[in-house]
Amino acid sequence: MRAYLDNAATTAVLPQAAEAALRAMTECYGNPSSLHPLGRQARELLQQSRGQVARAVGCAAECLIFTSGGTESINTALRAAARKNRHLGRHIVSTSVEHDAVLNTLKSLGQEGFEITLVAPGRDGSVSAEALCAALRPDTILLSVMAVNNETGAVLPAAQAAAALKRRSPAALVHVDGVQALCKQDLPLDNVDMASFSAHKIGGMKGCGALYIRRGLAITPLLFGGGQENGVRSGTEGMPQIAAFGAACEARMKTRAADAAHMRALRERLIAGARALGAHINSPENAAPHIVNLSMGRGRSEVYIRALGERGVCVSGGSACARGRASHVLLAQGLPKSNIDAALRVSLCPESTEEMIDCFLEALGQAARLF
Ligand code: PLP
């Protein structure tokens, strides 16, 4: 493969993470709940990994539980918050650009009698703090906002909206989907009760995530069983994935500032090159550096993806979960149909290079001639 540029869908596992997983499978393979030496060793590895992820999140280790991924963390957080606060009201605020893990959980809560308000983005993909605050009501019991949008890289004003909600209704709960922000952006947790994270977007393994739960907040679990992870997430811990998550967080946090500068420079090169080919940029100006959404304004995403793939370039049309459906994010932005149909998401990681960007631009120019 010449240019893997689909890092918002998933990343390669970092060598440090793969080594940590291998060690968890072949040396520290005990069950962390077992009392014998191998169990103790696994428990120590579990706590060490929790510390590594907590440092990346910016919280105390005891506030973090491991889950099977961002989707499970989000489901746990939203369902628990709605259940906890339903005696206070029935109104939930979120945005129309959230990941399906949030939107579909909210949809199911809607079917159970909760009223959901989804705040739309502007045409450039950004969501204003004013619009989010205007949606809050005295009976709002939960606010869920993503930190960084997975299709456009838009940075959402989660902190401002959270502060506004807590000022008016201290008992209301705030959840942040931090999946695309972890190890990339600061995520202030001041007014945040719960935040969701995923390992496979930062060089960890698929099938592993974490949920931050503010100290003192007791929540109902999604899964009942042996009471692991503070009773919030029963089931024997997936130690290879957890160890890899910890190692990936530690590696990424060491070079975070330099990595962000590197990806910002690549983003500028990509945007300048794409504009020179006539592309429209569907991401806001001040988006996170690792995600750029663009359209040539003609043709279809799937045809571009196939043509680019034949030249060794991997990008996507939007969220990998959408599998070819028109992007709900770009629809919410109110972009013309021709831009939505031809949208491509290019997403970077610290290992992305200028050569990969140039390779993408060359292949894009050739693919656009098909239409
Ligand atoms: N939230 C966002 C913003 C994402 O980008 C993703 C993954 O694409 C998820 C949630 C779901 O995470 P996971 O794949 O770990 O279930």
Side-chain angles (χ1 to χ4, degrees):
M1 200 46 59
R2 293 166 69 201
Y4 180 77
L5 295 169
D6 198 16
N7 293 281
T10 197
T11 58
V13 174
L14 283 172
Q16 299 91 321
E19 267 170 41
L22 186 64
R23 192 169 158 257
M25 287 188 280
T26 55
E27 288 174 42
C28 287
Y29 52 81
N31 184 324
S33 297
S34 296
L35 299 179
H36 52 63
L38 265 181
R40 210 164 48 238
Q41 209 181 26
R43 200 151 57 247
E44 277 162 20
L45 179 59
L46 176 62
Q47 290 316 92
Q48 178 197 318
S49 311
R50 199 185 308 282
Q52 289 167 316
V53 180
R55 275 191 289 285
V57 170
C59 69
E62 80 222 47
C63 294
L64 208 68
I65 63 152
F66 288 111
T67 65
S68 69
T71 300
E72 185 191 325
S73 298
I74 290 166
N75 273 263
T76 305
L78 298 184
R79 298 206 72 84
R83 188 187 171 99
K84 194 171 187 74
N85 271 354
R86 68 183 161 194
H87 64 290
L88 299 174
R90 295 252 140 180
H91 186 231
I92 300 175
V93 174
S94 188
T95 79
S96 48
V97 299
E98 299 296 310
H99 188 271
D100 276 344
V102 167
L103 291 178
N104 286 331
T105 306
L106 293 181
K107 199 163 151 191
S108 85
L109 289 171
Q111 284 156 1
E112 292 169 28
F114 290 90
E115 190 190 339
I116 319 292
T117 299
L118 298 178
V119 176
R123 215 176 160 80
D124 72 340
S126 62
V127 175
S128 79
E130 293 72 31
L132 267 175
C133 294
L136 303 176
R137 303 193 320 214
D139 62 337
T140 303
I141 54 155
L142 168 63
L143 169 72
S144 183
V145 183
M146 66 199 325
V148 172
N149 181 266
N150 53 302
E151 292 194 38
T152 63
V155 178
L156 279 80
Q160 294 99 302
L165 178 63
K166 291 288 182 175
R167 266 197 306 275
R168 329 162 45 132
S169 316
L173 291 168
V174 173
H175 167 256
V176 172
D177 174 353
V179 168
Q180 293 290 348
L182 183 64
C183 297
K184 291 169 183 128
Q185 306 265 317
D186 281 335
L187 189 74
L189 293 172
D190 297 340
N191 292 296
V192 175
D193 297 289
M194 288 179 276
S196 297
F197 303 97
S198 177
H200 72 105
K201 313 289 185 180
I202 62 146
M205 292 165 72
K206 293 157 191 66
C208 185
L211 175 63
Y212 161 79
I213 306 170
R214 172 176 52 77
R215 196 179 271 127
L217 178 68
I219 65 165
T220 318
L222 216 53
L223 303 179
F224 294 87
Q228 289 92 340
E229 298 296 291
N230 256 344
V232 179
R233 207 287 180 169
S234 285
T236 304
E237 296 86 348
M239 286 310 300
Q241 293 91 328
I242 288 172
F245 194 8
C249 281
E250 183 166 316
R252 285 295 184 222
M253 289 310 281
K254 272 190 194 142
T255 54
R256 196 182 90 148
D259 290 346
H262 171 65
M263 289 192 285
R264 203 163 283 289
L266 292 183
R267 179 181 194 268
E268 279 165 23
R269 187 183 187 93
L270 169 62
I271 289 179
R275 283 203 170 118
L277 291 172
H280 178 267
I281 306 301
N282 303 322
S283 297
E285 204 61 49
N286 61 349
H290 63 294
I291 302 177
V292 178
N293 197 303
L294 57 90
S295 310
M296 294 302 285
R298 58 187 190 280
R300 296 194 59 83
S301 302
E302 310 88 88
V303 182
Y304 281 102
I305 291 166
R306 209 169 322 117
L308 290 166
E310 280 162 13
R311 291 174 175 82
V313 178
C314 293
V315 297
S316 67
S319 167
C321 323
R323 289 186 211 91
R325 272 180 280 126
S327 153
H328 67 273
V329 174
L330 302 184
L331 280 169
Q333 283 178 225
L335 293 178
K337 189 174 178 312
S338 54
N339 274 3
I340 297 174
D341 287 346
L344 295 174
R345 176 184 68 179
V346 184
S347 50
L348 313 175
C349 72
E351 287 71 35
S352 305
T353 62
E354 287 185 353
E355 291 69 38
M356 291 181 189
I357 301 296
D358 295 346
C359 189
F360 163 75
L361 290 169
E362 192 193 323
L364 178 66
Q366 286 165 354
R369 280 187 220 121
L370 295 172
F371 303 103

